Amino acid sequence: QVQLVESGGGSVQAGGSLRLSCAASGYTFSGGSMGWFRQVPGKEREGVAGMHSDSRTIYADSVKGRFTISQDNAKNTLYLQMNSLKPEDTAMYYCAADPGARRWLLLHVDEYVYWGQGTQVTVSS
């Protein structure tokens, strides 16, 4: 049984930083991809960053240069380092896994099979 558990969310002022973690159990990164998504009430869930098991990455334009996705295979953990945070980054952040990674570059919710419960990030101005 695959389980993804996010942590590291919280409240921070604009310009600050947070690091999100996603601990995976029952799932290995090999051959697949993992990603971070976010959602605000009333809006669709959007892709933030994705990472293939071969370490290739992709980012949404809105976070390029500010966010960094990484993974620790030994710990089976995915990270999202978020710097220079803006109020518009406020959202629930979700970790997701796609075992097939056939279209991982789309960074779209439909491509991901397993999801965590989310961690809230709030950025105040």
Side-chain angles (χ1 to χ4, degrees), residues 21-87:
S21 299
C22 172
S25 59
Y27 178 82
T28 58
F29 297 167
S30 177
S33 70
M34 294 192 72
W36 289 98
F37 293 77
R38 65 187 181 187
Q39 188 172 25
V40 297
K43 291 190 175 182
E44 292 187 353
R45 193 170 296 187
E46 64 174 2
V48 175
M51 188 168 197
H52 195 277
S53 59
D54 63 10
S55 298
R56 287 178 291 159
T57 59
I58 186 169
Y59 296 92
D61 288 342
S62 59
V63 306
K64 280 181 182 176
R66 300 188 298 122
F67 290 11
T68 302
I69 189 172
S70 62
Q71 61 189 33
D72 185 330
N73 289 333
K75 295 182 179 180
N76 236 25
T77 300
L78 183 74
Y79 301 100
L80 185 68
Q81 179 66 44
M82 305 186 296
N83 298 329
S84 303
L85 282 161
K86 304 175 181 179

Side-chain angles (χ1 to χ4, degrees), residues 68-114:
T68 302
I69 189 172
S70 62
Q71 61 189 33
D72 185 330
N73 289 333
K75 295 182 179 180
N76 236 25
T77 300
L78 183 74
Y79 301 100
L80 185 68
Q81 179 66 44
M82 305 186 296
N83 298 329
S84 303
L85 282 161
K86 304 175 181 179
E88 51 263 44
D89 294 318
T90 295
M92 183 72 79
Y93 282 73
Y94 298 89
C95 168
D98 170 20
R102 287 185 292 272
R103 301 196 302 173
W104 73 280
L105 288 172
L106 293 177
L107 197 57
H108 192 276
V109 294
D110 290 347
E111 301 300 320
Y112 286 78
V113 176
Y114 304 108

